[in-house]
Amino acid sequence: MTAAQFEALQVNEAADVLAWRFDHLCRGGFDIESAAVLASNVEIDLHDALELVRRGCEPQTAIRILF
């Protein structure tokens, strides 16, 4: 999702997207703080983040790669 697409969402839709992203990141191995940072940066591809961890990358290293 691009930042422009996210900004076009209604407030409740945007909250749902952020909650969904946060939930998936937590389930994928990210700690709460890291998941919150990644979830709120909608320019970062959620699937890329999860794939890095799935392939054995430490979550903190994945964050450095993604940013």
Side-chain angles (χ1 to χ4, degrees):
M1 171 173 282
T2 66
Q5 290 170 321
F6 182 76
E7 289 173 6
L9 296 174
Q10 299 295 319
V11 173
N12 61 331
E13 293 172 321
D16 288 346
V17 168
L18 294 177
W20 180 83
R21 288 172 57 86
F22 177 78
D23 180 58
H24 276 71
L25 289 161
C26 286
R27 289 178 188 213
F30 289 89
D31 60 69
I32 291 173
E33 184 178 318
S34 299
V37 169
L38 288 172
S40 64
N41 285 279
V42 295
E43 311 84 26
I44 293 176
D45 190 290
L46 175 75
H47 298 99
D48 289 344
L50 294 172
E51 184 65 16
L52 284 169
V53 173
R54 189 186 72 75
R55 290 180 174 236
C57 187
E58 290 294 322
Q60 293 303 319
T61 303
I63 288 173
R64 288 196 301 271
I65 291 168
L66 295 164
F67 279 100

